[in-house]
């Protein structure tokens, strides 16, 4: 009964491909997030949805598009993958402002 | 523009001694702070938090201290245990936002 799950755990793909990462939480939280941890270990927020509405959209290339079909799911689709997209992508969920965010195990993306 | 900084990338401590991890921030609008612990190949897990109305919060072996005038917080772990070996991230949030800004992490190694 994993609280925040992500699939796949590892993703190796060629430049130019399109890929998706899925995230699901069973904590009943209203807010979900996508973070990117790059090679320098910076953990940076990319997007956040609250009750299926986009509330945070950082300076992220348009090739990245989040989709929230319901408040338990937040998927990340990446078009035309580039070498610089190689990173670990973490999904998280929380119940609101000033509330603890719970993280998934991460998806390790390697673009060749 | 790194608003949350952890200037020590690594720290080694003997088992049973105190571990002190430091974090500095630059944005005076931050009013909520958290510490997360991360093991390899896992997502960050919440450890302890503190609101700016307090200067100390304690939970078992873990204590977080906040010095608002210095824009500095620290995490004390007493006594340190080998299982505490992990990367520790501090994070900050401000004024009712959902967004957390993370530091780059400090790798703690507790030597048996």
């Amino acid at each position: 009964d994993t609280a925040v799950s992500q699939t796949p755990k590892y993703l190796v793909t060629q430049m130019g491909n399109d890929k998706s990462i899925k995230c699901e939480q069973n904590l009943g939280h209203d807010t979900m997030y996508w973070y990117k941890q790059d090679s320098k270990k910076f953990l940076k927020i990319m997007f956040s949805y609250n009750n299926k509405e986009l509330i945070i959209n950082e300076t992220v290339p348009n090739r990245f598009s989040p989709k929230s079909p319901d408040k338990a799911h937040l998927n990340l689709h990446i078009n035309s993958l580039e070498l610089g997209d190689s990173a670990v992508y973490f999904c998280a969920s929380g119940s609101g402002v000033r509330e603890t965010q719970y993280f998934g195990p991460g998806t390790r993306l390697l673009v060749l | 523009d790194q608003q949350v900084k952890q200037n020590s990338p690594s720290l080694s401590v003997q088992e049973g001694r105190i571990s002190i991890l430091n974090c500095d921030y630059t944005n005076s609008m931050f009013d909520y702070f958290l510490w997360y612990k991360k093991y390899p190949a896992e997502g960050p897990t919440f450890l302890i938090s503190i609101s700016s109305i307090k200067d100390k919060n304690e939970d078992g072996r873990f204590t977080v201290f906040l010095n608002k005038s210095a824009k500095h917080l620290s995490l004390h772990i007493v006594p340190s245990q080998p299982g505490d070996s992990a990367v520790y991230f501090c994070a900050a949030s401000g004024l009712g936002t959902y967004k957390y800004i993370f530091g780059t992490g400090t790798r703690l190694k507790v030597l048996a």
Side-chain angles (χ1 to χ4, degrees), chain A residues 42, chain B residues 2-11 19-27 30 32-36 47-50 55 63-76 87-93 100-107:
Chain A
F42 283 103
Chain B
Q2 209 177 324
Q3 297 184 69
V4 179
K5 299 178 187 179
Q6 293 175 255
N7 291 320
S8 298
S10 63
L11 174 69
S19 295
I20 300 176
L21 296 98
N22 293 304
C23 180
D24 297 294
Y25 61 97
T26 57
N27 191 335
F30 288 147
Y32 189 63
F33 305 88
L34 309 93
W35 284 94
Y36 278 81
L47 202 52
I48 193 168
S49 63
I50 188 167
D55 54 21
T63 303
V64 56
F65 294 92
L66 175 62
N67 182 334
K68 289 184 289 294
S69 60
K71 294 193 181 70
H72 176 84
L73 63 153
S74 60
L75 175 68
H76 293 208
V87 177
Y88 289 78
F89 291 95
C90 68
S93 176
Y100 290 162
I101 307 294
F102 281 82
T104 49
T106 296
R107 182 176 302 279

Side-chain angles (χ1 to χ4, degrees), chain A residues 66-85:
Chain A
K67 283 191 171 45
S68 182
D70 54 60
K71 70 177 195 178
H73 295 84
L74 181 61
N75 303 323
L76 183 65
H77 188 76
I78 315 171
N79 288 328
S80 303
L81 278 155
E82 299 178 356
L83 295 177
D85 298 331

Side-chain angles (χ1 to χ4, degrees), chain A residues 48-76:
Chain A
S48 178
Y49 271 73
N50 179 263
N51 279 320
K52 301 195 294 172
E53 283 195 39
L54 184 66
I55 57 169
I56 296 175
N57 186 355
E58 291 296 285
T59 309
V60 176
N62 290 340
R63 301 181 293 101
F64 289 79
S65 54
K67 283 191 171 45
S68 182
D70 54 60
K71 70 177 195 178
H73 295 84
L74 181 61
N75 303 323
L76 183 65

Side-chain angles (χ1 to χ4, degrees), chain B residues 47-62:
Chain B
L47 202 52
I48 193 168
S49 63
I50 188 167
S51 163
S52 60
I53 61 173
K54 293 185 170 184
D55 54 21
K56 177 182 172 181
N57 189 24
E58 200 171 342
D59 184 1
R61 296 185 298 115
F62 302 93

